[in-house]
């Protein structure tokens, strides 16, 4: 069995004269949580639609669950869960009945429904009709529907949008547990802290092309500023460059017992994102 669950190689897609994806190339191994980050209109949703065969590429190669996407079967798609802004819930049915319906559509027992309701903080609201739910409750119910059949591959588009911090933390914990069991997660989010918490690697897409792809910590180190801030006992706050001369100066400060703290001026993932894209989310 291939260790690569998803891959794109030199994928292009245009809508009329507009090039939407330009040579998109990446791969996601089994059991990885892969973040796909980009400003609005960069191509994130289009990429998910290609990977779920809602759209067809112009050129390039796409692999899904170890085979060319054009050879993917209905059984392959039964191994996939999807949470997106178009995820369907039935307004006049309760949360529990929606999850039970999705279990039935997937051909499985509804026995997993109580567990999901409890984990997603919906057990007390299980009989609430979807039309009476808050945005956060709807989002958690839609996530439950995506997870009801324990998918091997999970597409999540802004999974914690509208959730309070406690609910967001519980979703992150669930995703970590799923990944440990071998589930592959493809995540789009505007929350850079979420990407750092959940994802082993992130790709940043801008104008239809990937401009960076690596572990969040590696990206932050790659774009770190060439500066150290040193707090001293008697000489105040010093700004040093990362150089041989500064290393010698720092060594002297340590020898004189002057150093209170040393900080490397590294960007967070949001600052890296803004530097690479030049745009807000």
């Amino acid at each position: 069995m291939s260790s690569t669950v998803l891959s794109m190689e030199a994928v292009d897609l245009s809508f009329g004269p507009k090039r939407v994806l330009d040579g998109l190339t990446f791969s996601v191994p089994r059991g990885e949580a892969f973040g796909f980050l980009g400003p609005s209109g960069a191509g994130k949703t289009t990429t998910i639609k290609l990977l779920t065969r809602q759209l067809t590429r112009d050129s390039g190669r796409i692999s899904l669950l170890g085979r060319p996407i054009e050879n993917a079967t209905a059984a392959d798609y039964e191994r996939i869960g999807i949470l997106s802004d178009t995820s369907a819930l039935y307004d006049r049915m309760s949360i529990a009945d929606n999850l039970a319906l999705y279990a039935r559509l997937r051909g499985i027992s509804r026995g997993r429904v109580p567990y999901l309701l409890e984990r997603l903080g919906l057990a007390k609201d299980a009989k609430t009709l979807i039309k009476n739910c808050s945005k956060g409750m709807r989002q958690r119910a839609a996530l439950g529907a995506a997870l009801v059949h324990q998918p091997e591959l999970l597409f999540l588009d802004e999974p914690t949008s509208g959730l309070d911090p406690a609910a967001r933390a519980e979703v992150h914990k669930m995703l970590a547990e799923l990944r440990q069991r071998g589930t592959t997660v493809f995540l789009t989010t505007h929350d850079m802290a979420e990407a750092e918490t959940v994802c082993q690697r992130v790709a940043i897409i801008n104008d239809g092309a990937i401009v960076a792809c690596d572990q969040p910590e590696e990206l932050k180190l790659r774009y770190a500023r060439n500066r150290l801030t040193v707090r001293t006992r008697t000489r105040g706050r010093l700004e040093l460059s990362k150089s041989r001369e500064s290393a010698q100066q720092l060594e002297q400060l340590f020898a004189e017992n002057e150093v209170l703290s040393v900080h490397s001026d590294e960007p967070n993932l949001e600052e890296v994102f803004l530097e690479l894209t030049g745009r807000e989310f």
Side-chain angles (χ1 to χ4, degrees):
M1 183 179 292
S2 172
S3 63
T4 299
V5 173
L6 286 177
S7 69
M8 283 188 165
E9 184 178 348
V11 171
D12 295 330
L13 178 66
S14 297
F15 296 149
K18 180 176 174 58
R19 178 64 66 89
V20 180
L21 297 180
D22 187 5
L24 207 62
T25 299
F26 65 86
S27 65
V28 183
R30 190 173 306 279
E32 180 176 71
F34 184 78
F36 202 62
L37 316 177
S40 297
K44 303 187 300 297
T45 300
T46 298
T47 300
I48 290 180
K49 287 183 176 180
L50 282 173
L51 290 167
T52 54
R53 290 185 73 178
Q54 298 174 68
L55 291 173
T56 303
R57 67 196 181 282
D58 294 335
S59 60
R61 288 180 288 277
I62 302 176
S63 173
L64 178 71
L65 295 171
R67 71 179 78 201
I69 196 165
E70 55 269 21
N71 296 337
T73 65
D76 289 329
Y77 283 95
E78 288 299 317
R79 299 158 61 190
I80 295 173
I82 303 173
L83 171 66
S84 72
D85 57 4
T86 60
S87 294
L89 294 172
Y90 293 90
D91 279 353
R92 297 188 178 184
M93 293 173 61
S94 69
I95 295 172
D97 286 343
N98 265 276
L99 267 60
L101 173 62
Y102 273 93
R104 187 162 68 249
L105 291 173
R106 293 288 190 176
I108 62 173
S109 164
R110 61 182 293 167
R112 183 168 159 79
V113 171
Y115 163 78
L116 289 170
L117 291 171
E118 186 67 36
R119 286 301 308 271
L120 291 167
L122 294 169
K124 293 181 180 179
D125 301 299
K127 295 182 179 180
T128 303
L129 300 184
I130 293 295
K131 67 178 183 179
N132 296 328
C133 289
S134 66
K135 179 182 178 183
M137 290 167 64
R138 280 176 174 263
Q139 189 75 353
R140 283 178 282 159
L143 179 57
L147 292 172
V148 73
H149 60 305
Q150 302 186 70
E152 296 176 38
L153 170 60
L154 190 58
F155 289 102
L156 298 177
D157 192 3
E158 302 291 344
T160 58
S161 174
L163 301 190
D164 61 52
R168 187 180 301 117
E170 188 61 31
V171 169
H172 292 170
K173 183 178 177 182
M174 286 184 68
L175 294 179
E177 292 171 2
L178 286 168
R179 189 181 63 79
Q180 288 169 2
R181 293 201 295 266
T183 302
T184 304
V185 178
F186 188 93
L187 170 75
T188 68
T189 180
H190 286 113
D191 186 338
M192 297 295 109
E194 176 167 83
E196 288 193 61
T197 298
V198 174
C199 300
Q200 286 69 62
R201 285 189 306 142
V202 298
I204 297 176
I205 182 174
N206 192 40
D207 293 329
I210 291 177
V211 293
C213 183
D214 211 330
Q215 298 173 17
E217 199 62 34
E218 290 300 318
L219 286 176
K220 291 189 292 182
L221 289 173
R222 189 180 307 165
Y223 292 93
R225 302 174 184 90
N226 185 33
R227 188 171 60 198
L228 294 173
T229 300
V230 184
R231 289 181 60 232
T232 66
R233 294 183 184 279
T234 64
R235 304 178 197 181
R237 175 173 166 171
L238 305 178
E239 299 286 342
L240 304 178
S241 62
K242 295 178 182 177
S243 64
R244 183 184 298 273
E245 292 76 15
S246 293
Q248 293 170 346
Q249 184 178 353
L250 191 58
E251 183 179 6
Q252 183 64 33
L253 289 168
F254 273 113
E256 296 171 358
N257 197 29
E258 275 285 340
V259 176
L260 295 174
S261 65
V262 180
H263 296 281
S264 177
D265 188 11
E266 298 172 5
N268 58 35
L269 190 57
E270 183 173 330
E271 290 171 320
V272 172
F273 178 96
L274 292 172
E275 181 173 339
L276 289 170
T277 67
R279 293 194 278 169
E280 298 288 344
F281 309 128

